[in-house]
């Protein structure tokens, strides 16, 4: 008799009680002494800005200023809005942590200078105390500290001209913005510089400019309306090793009578070979954007082979489970191997355009898009890349998930583990792995390497780049097998996949760990019905991720290499066991309120009077509101969750959260610490606690709250989120599932997380 299926329970929306956040705050208190000397220092710097405005041409009577704040002033409650506002110099964005951009005009700077010198109200004095310095934005800021010669040298070349990307400041007023853009274009025309404006950068004004010499780059860096000048990022397939080729097995699974039994994954890559008849039947559609003379389908075919037959071609690794997927071939990457033929590259604007063209046609059918591609642009801690910002925009607009390779470090000696701080900094992830809504995948080793000092099974592969991402968000998000190699790039041990035609080979790279996660995510989308939102799909695949070495949680401090771990047992993760229950919440928050589920059920078998024991973990995911103008503060909303107990306090009942965030130490409260360690403003967070001996309390309570910044709450903000909560008996004996099912029926309206039947996967007879 088959075992009864134990479904995950979905707590239907609108059952959490919305409560208003209590008013708080204390009288304004300066963060430092506001002395006459300090006021005068700031006023002197503004005097320099006034002189620059005096000599500026009439059409350019605006100078962007950069304001550096004290470390303790990064929180929203300390923002100096009394000082920088529509009457003076309004804030128009942010850069690094603690760096604001404000718009300086003759009248605004004069009023700001007056307030700094004479303002004496408590609120104004506190606002002044948050400021460390004020100065005009200069060429070094726009070049991110590089020299114009360096930008010209590393920028991609076409017809001996350097392709340079320029973005403009957004003054948040279309009537004012348009003349500034026109003035910039006239500047380019006056200097005979060829340019193109790229409308596919939503929410940003981005240009590509062809520079003849470094003097042209310097001209751009001095233009007052310019925010940044950088080499134009280009994308190519990550380097191939291609070793141990052999004939393809003849027993690989065929598609079968009903293609809809299998999900579809888009392979945004170098193309999938049409010369393999067995692989061809798994191809759903093809879209091609590469000239025939620059075609090299090896990399894309290898990725596709793992998506279809990863489990069959790598049968000794049980973690590569049977999740065959159909393929949507999006051929965008030209050949990057000069020994193969003509070499090319694709730049940011063209890749975005090609992606959106395909998304418009296929987003309803294809929810997972595999991006095993990379650039040479290392992700920065203090800003999100333009390309990642646009990938986020596309994912949200079309309701899809991008699964993105973390990038490969290729300069021997490679990255040993544990990694020194120097090695970890050198091996940071590359664009577009800093996408907030994308799932970035690193590589771990599937076997031990035989060389002395070689990496072991379950450890980060020596080539796999590490995080954290910008603003210290966890990147990579997940890991999977990507092969192993010696620190000198010798003796590779790879995964096996299609190498073209009817042959297979081995290869290594984060390019190939990525499709192993893509196929698992595709099965989450495919099996859950109705089709889950990208937020819920992301939460589900993260909730089951573990450290392959220990089968447990990722250790403190190792998230920068492993993310949340390796997703294991997707089929099992979508169901429960008798000693475990998993609950799903999907709700929407609004500013000024929090949601609570009071008197929350807790298993009777884990309860002894007023003492509770058990193992509890939660995964919280949400798509934050975002604005590229805010640099490191790109994410404008933050969702936090607390699951805990109510106890009797001196002034009445007190709520104490009992399941802390992972990878955190709540002992410090500065905003910088909360961003760096507590992962504040991160789009995914996990919480965990083992309670073997029990804790005392009256009842359980779940609370989810919203924080926001940049006044986005004034835009009628609604913030969706998905929360997954698991309560288990660590001894795997107590009837937790049955007990919770009965209590949930009495307390909430619920339904099962409905799953499509699984298709039996088997190979053909030889």
């Amino acid at each position: 008799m088959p075992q009864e299926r134990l479904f995950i329970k979905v707590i239907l929306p609108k059952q959490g009680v919305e409560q208003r956040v209590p008013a708080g705050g204390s009288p304004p208190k300066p963060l430092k002494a506001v002395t006459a000397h300090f006021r005068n220092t700031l006023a002197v710097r503004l005097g320099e800005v006034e002189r620059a405005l005096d000599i500026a041409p009439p059409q350019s009577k605006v100078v962007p200023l950069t304001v550096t704040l004290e470390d303790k002033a990064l929180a929203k409650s300390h923002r100096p809005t009394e000082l920088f506002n529509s009457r003076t110099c309004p804030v128009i964005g942010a850069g690094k942590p603690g760096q604001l951009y404000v718009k300086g005009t003759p009248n605004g700077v004069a009023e700001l200078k007056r307030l700094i010198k004479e303002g004496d109200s408590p609120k104004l004095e506190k606002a002044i105390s948050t400021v460390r310095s004020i100065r005009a934005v200069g060429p070094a800021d726009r070049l991110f500290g590089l020299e114009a010669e360096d930008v010209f040298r590393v920028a991609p070349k076409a017809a001996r001209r350097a392709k340079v990307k320029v973005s403009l400041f957004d003054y948040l007023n279309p009537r004012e913005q348009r003349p500034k853009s026109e003035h910039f274009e006239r500047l380019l025309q006056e200097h005979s510089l060829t340019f193109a404006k790229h409308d596919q950068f939503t929410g940003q004004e981005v240009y590509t400019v062809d520079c003849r010499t470094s003097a042209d780059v310097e001209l751009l860096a001095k233009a007052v309306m310019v925010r940044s000048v950088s080499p134009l990022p280009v994308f190519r397939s990550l380097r191939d090793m291609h070793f141990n080729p052999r004939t393809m097995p003849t027993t690989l699974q065929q598609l079968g009578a009903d293609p809809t039994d299998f999900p579809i994954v888009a392979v945004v890559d170098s193309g999938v070979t049409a010369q393999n008849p067995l692989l061809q039947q798994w191809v759903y559609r093809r879209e091609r954007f590469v000239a025939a003379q620059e075609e090299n389908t090896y990399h894309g075919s290898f990725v596709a082979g793992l998506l279809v037959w990863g489990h069959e071609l790598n049968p000794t690794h049980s973690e590569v489970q049977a999740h065959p997927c159909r393929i949507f071939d999006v051929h965008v990457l030209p050949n990057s191997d000069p020994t193969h033929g003509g070499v090319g590259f694709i730049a940011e604007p063209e890749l975005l355009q090609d992606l959106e063209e395909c998304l418009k046609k296929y987003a309803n059918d294809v929810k997972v898009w595999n991006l095993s591609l990379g650039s040479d642009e290392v992700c920065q801690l203090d800003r999100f890349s333009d390309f990642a910002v646009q990938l986020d925009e596309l994912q949200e607009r079309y309701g899809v998930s991008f699964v993105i390779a973390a990038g490969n470090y290729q300069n021997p000696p490679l990255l040993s583990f544990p990694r020194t701080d120097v090695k970890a900094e050198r091996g940071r992830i590359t664009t577009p792995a800093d996408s907030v809504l994308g799932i970035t995948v690193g590589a771990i080793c599937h076997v031990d390497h035989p060389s002395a000092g070689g990496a072991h099974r379950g450890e980060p592969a020596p080539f796999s780049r590490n995080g954290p991402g910008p603003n210290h968000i966890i990147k990579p998000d997940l890991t999977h097998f990507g092969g192993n190699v010696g620190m000198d790039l010798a003796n590779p041990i790879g995964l096996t996949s299609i190498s073209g035609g009817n042959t297979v080979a081995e290869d290594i790279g984060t390019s190939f760990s990525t499709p192993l996660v893509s196929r698992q995510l595709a099965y989450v989308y495919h099996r859950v019905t109705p089709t889950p939102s990208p937020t819920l799909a992301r939460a589900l695949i993260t909730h089951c991720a573990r450290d392959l070495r220990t089968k447990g949680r990722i250790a403190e401090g190792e998230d920068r290499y492993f993310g949340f771990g390796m997703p294991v047992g997707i089929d099992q993760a979508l169901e429960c066991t008798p000693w475990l229950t998993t609950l799903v919440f999907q709700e929407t928050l609004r500013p000024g309120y929090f949601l609570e589920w009071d008197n929350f059920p807790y298993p009777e078998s884990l309860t002894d009077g007023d003492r509770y024991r058990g193992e509890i973990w939660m995964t919280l995911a949400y798509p934050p509101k975002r604005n590229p103008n805010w640099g490191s503060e790109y994410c404008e909303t933050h969702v936090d969750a607390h699951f805990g107990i109510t106890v009797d306090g001196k002034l009445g009942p007190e709520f104490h959260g009992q399941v802390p965030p992972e990878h955190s130490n709540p002992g410090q409260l500065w905003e910088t610490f909360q961003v760096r360690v507590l992962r504040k403003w991160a789009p995914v967070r996990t919480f965990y606690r083992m309670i073997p001996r029990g804790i005392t309390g009256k009842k359980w309570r779940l609370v989810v709250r919203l924080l926001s910044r940049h006044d986005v709450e004034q835009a009628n903000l609604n913030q969706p989120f998905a929360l997954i909560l698991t309560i288990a008996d660590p001894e795997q004996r107590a009837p937790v599932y049955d007990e919770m099912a009965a209590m949930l029926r009495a307390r909430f309206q619920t339904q099962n997380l409905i799953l499509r039947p699984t298709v039996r996967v088997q190979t053909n007879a030889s």
Side-chain angles (χ1 to χ4, degrees):
M1 181 176 178
Q3 184 177 357
E4 180 186 1
R5 173 173 287 176
L6 302 180
F7 290 99
I8 291 173
K9 297 294 184 182
V10 178
I11 309 299
L12 296 179
K14 307 300 183 183
Q15 297 185 82
V17 178
E18 189 177 63
Q19 304 279 18
R20 184 177 289 277
V21 176
S26 55
K29 181 180 178 181
L31 301 184
K32 66 185 178 189
V34 181
T35 64
H37 175 74
F38 177 66
R39 289 176 184 261
N40 187 60
T41 300
L42 294 181
V44 168
R45 297 307 301 267
L46 287 175
E48 297 171 4
V49 176
E50 287 179 314
R51 287 189 288 276
L53 286 165
D54 287 340
I55 63 175
Q59 66 270 31
S60 300
K61 291 292 186 181
V62 175
V63 174
L65 311 179
T66 179
V67 178
T68 303
L69 302 178
E70 297 290 347
D71 289 342
K72 295 182 181 181
L74 303 192
K76 175 182 175 181
S77 58
H78 295 311
R79 280 296 160 89
T81 53
E82 284 290 311
L83 197 58
F84 302 102
N85 51 53
S86 59
R87 301 186 306 276
T88 59
C89 299
V91 178
I92 57 173
K96 301 177 181 179
Q99 181 187 52
L100 300 179
Y101 292 124
V102 302
K103 182 177 69 174
T105 60
N107 291 337
V109 170
E111 177 62 11
L112 178 62
K113 185 176 178 181
R114 186 191 69 80
L115 290 178
I116 288 174
K117 294 179 70 174
E118 303 173 6
D120 59 359
S121 72
K123 288 184 178 180
L124 194 52
E125 187 174 357
K126 179 185 176 181
I128 296 172
S129 77
T130 66
V131 177
R132 183 178 295 173
S133 66
I134 306 174
R135 60 177 177 81
V137 174
D141 300 303
R142 300 183 177 98
L143 292 166
F144 301 114
L146 297 176
E147 297 294 330
E149 292 85 353
D150 297 328
V151 172
F152 182 82
R153 176 172 45 82
V154 301
K157 305 295 192 300
R160 297 198 299 179
R161 299 196 176 191
K163 295 282 186 180
V164 174
K165 185 174 74 174
V166 179
S167 62
L168 305 188
F169 277 104
D170 183 353
Y171 292 112
L172 309 181
N173 183 335
R175 288 181 298 177
E176 184 176 356
Q177 190 70 18
R178 194 174 301 109
K180 298 294 183 290
S181 304
E182 293 170 352
H183 177 62
F184 175 67
E185 293 179 10
R186 284 196 301 272
L187 174 70
L188 299 177
Q189 292 164 352
E190 289 167 3
H191 289 82
S192 301
L193 290 174
T194 303
F195 67 91
K197 185 176 182 180
H198 302 294
D199 294 332
Q200 53 268 66
F201 286 81
T202 304
Q204 299 172 283
E205 283 204 274
V206 174
Y207 292 79
T208 299
V209 181
D210 294 344
C211 293
R212 298 156 299 199
T213 67
S214 61
D216 292 337
V217 178
E218 193 168 353
L219 172 75
L220 299 173
K222 290 180 178 179
V224 71
M225 69 290 293
V226 167
R227 177 167 178 157
S228 66
V229 180
S230 59
L232 179 67
V234 297
F235 297 89
R236 55 181 66 87
S237 57
L238 301 178
R239 190 171 73 181
D240 305 318
M241 295 193 76
H242 187 202
F243 54 96
N244 194 17
R246 52 199 185 273
T247 303
M248 186 181 77
T250 59
T251 57
L252 297 178
Q253 180 184 1
Q254 297 193 31
L255 181 60
D258 188 357
T260 62
D261 285 340
F262 304 96
I264 306 165
V265 174
V267 179
V268 183
D269 215 290
S270 66
V272 176
T273 179
Q275 307 306 313
N276 185 315
L278 193 55
L279 182 60
Q280 172 63 28
Q281 64 181 256
W282 288 87
V283 176
Y284 159 72
R285 294 281 192 280
R286 295 182 187 269
E287 292 284 345
R288 177 174 176 153
F289 302 92
V290 173
Q293 62 270 25
E294 292 183 350
E295 178 181 293
N296 178 357
T297 62
Y298 168 78
H299 190 273
S301 301
F302 202 98
V303 169
L306 288 170
L307 284 163
V308 180
W309 299 305
H311 55 297
E312 295 184 76
L313 294 173
N314 300 275
T316 60
H317 305 294
S318 60
E319 294 84 1
V320 183
Q321 296 184 327
H323 296 125
C325 298
R326 288 187 288 164
I327 302 302
F328 171 32
D329 176 18
V330 183
H331 188 174
V332 293
L333 298 180
N335 174 46
S336 59
D337 180 1
T339 65
H340 185 85
V343 173
F345 61 79
I346 185 169
E348 269 186 349
E350 290 76 23
L351 183 50
L352 286 172
Q353 183 173 309
D354 296 345
L355 265 174
E356 182 158 22
E357 182 177 326
C358 292
L359 285 163
K360 287 178 180 178
K361 296 179 184 177
Y362 301 105
N364 287 337
D365 296 326
V366 184
K367 292 300 179 183
V368 178
W369 296 62
N370 188 95
L371 275 64
S372 290
L373 47 78
S375 73
D376 297 327
E377 183 182 8
V378 176
C379 298
Q380 302 300 308
L381 278 174
D382 57 9
R383 64 183 183 274
F384 291 81
S385 67
D386 292 337
F387 190 68
V389 166
Q390 295 307 317
L391 290 188
D392 290 340
E393 173 70 21
L394 291 175
Q395 288 174 95
E396 189 162 66
R397 190 186 315 160
Y398 291 101
V400 300
S401 297
F402 292 153
V403 185
I404 305 166
N408 295 338
Y409 184 83
Q410 303 183 32
N411 300 321
L414 299 184
L415 306 171
S416 57
F417 185 79
R419 294 180 185 174
T420 64
D421 290 343
V422 172
K423 282 283 190 179
E425 182 60 29
R426 193 175 297 162
R428 286 178 48 73
I429 58 173
T430 52
T431 302
D434 52 335
S435 164
V436 165
L437 300 186
I439 297 175
T440 299
V441 181
I444 56 175
C445 301
H446 62 309
V447 294
D448 293 346
H449 197 272
S451 64
H456 298 288
R457 172 178 158 88
E459 292 183 347
F463 50 80
S464 184
R465 288 184 171 272
N466 56 257
N471 214 29
H472 295 278
I473 64 173
I474 289 180
K475 291 289 178 180
D477 297 272
L478 300 169
T479 51
H480 215 301
F481 293 146
N484 201 347
V485 69
M487 298 300 158
D488 57 355
L489 269 177
N491 302 316
I493 308 171
L495 299 177
T496 299
S497 189
I498 302 301
S499 61
N502 292 312
T503 61
V504 298
E506 292 181 41
D507 214 329
I508 63 173
T510 57
S511 282
F512 311 128
S513 58
T514 302
L516 297 182
V517 170
S518 289
R519 72 204 302 255
Q520 289 178 298
L521 182 63
Y523 266 78
V524 172
Y525 273 111
H526 185 66
R527 290 205 60 203
V528 177
T529 182
T531 303
S533 68
T535 302
L536 178 56
R538 182 177 192 172
L540 286 166
I541 197 171
T542 302
H543 196 65
C544 71
R546 295 293 183 270
D547 188 332
L548 181 66
R549 301 167 299 172
T550 65
K551 309 302 181 185
R553 317 296 295 184
I554 296 298
E556 190 79 26
E558 291 192 342
D559 50 89
R560 69 186 303 179
Y561 311 110
F562 296 94
F564 297 103
M566 177 180 179
V568 293
I570 289 295
D571 291 328
Q572 295 80 6
L574 293 176
E575 299 179 7
C576 297
T577 62
W579 60 84
L580 171 155
T581 188
T582 295
L583 312 177
V584 169
F585 299 79
Q586 289 193 92
E587 290 278 5
T588 300
L589 294 163
R590 60 185 181 131
Y593 295 86
F594 64 90
L595 289 176
E596 70 169 5
W597 293 260
D598 202 7
N599 198 22
F600 200 91
Y602 200 82
E604 294 176 355
S605 55
L606 302 181
T607 303
D608 183 7
D610 61 352
R611 291 190 65 80
Y612 306 93
R613 67 179 184 89
E615 184 180 12
I616 305 169
W617 64 95
M618 300 192 296
T619 300
L620 174 65
Y622 67 98
K625 302 302 178 185
R626 306 170 311 281
N627 189 330
N629 290 324
W630 289 96
S632 62
E633 297 182 8
Y634 168 59
C635 298
E636 299 184 293
T637 51
H638 171 71
V639 178
D640 203 3
H642 302 272
F643 187 51
I645 54 176
T646 301
V647 299
D648 290 327
K650 294 181 179 179
L651 301 178
E654 296 178 354
F655 173 65
H656 296 168
Q658 296 294 330
V659 188
E662 293 191 285
H663 315 297
S664 67
N665 176 1
Q668 300 183 42
L669 298 179
W670 289 4
E671 179 80 1
T672 50
F673 184 85
Q674 293 187 50
V675 166
R676 180 171 57 85
V677 180
L678 303 187
R679 310 296 181 184
K680 190 176 180 183
W681 310 105
V684 180
R685 300 176 81 199
T686 57
F687 306 75
Y688 178 78
R689 185 168 182 191
M690 176 74 78
I691 312 174
R693 296 183 179 85
I695 54 175
T696 302
K698 296 177 69 68
K699 58 182 179 179
W700 285 84
R701 181 184 181 213
L702 175 64
V703 175
V704 183
R705 63 176 183 146
L706 171 67
L707 297 176
S708 61
R709 54 188 176 191
H710 311 152
D711 296 325
V712 295
E713 62 268 21
Q714 297 179 8
N716 198 23
L717 170 68
N718 288 302
Q719 175 63 67
F721 70 89
L723 174 69
I724 304 178
L725 167 64
T726 295
I727 303 173
D729 174 16
E731 298 176 0
Q732 300 187 0
R733 293 185 302 194
V736 170
Y737 185 85
D738 287 344
E739 292 174 351
M740 284 294 289
M743 288 188 285
L744 288 169
R745 282 195 296 269
R747 178 71 178 84
F748 297 119
Q749 289 183 308
T750 67
Q751 65 183 30
N752 293 332
L753 186 72
I754 302 300
L755 304 178
R756 289 187 177 91
T758 56
V759 176
R760 186 179 179 188
V761 176
Q762 59 184 20
T763 57
N764 299 317
S766 57

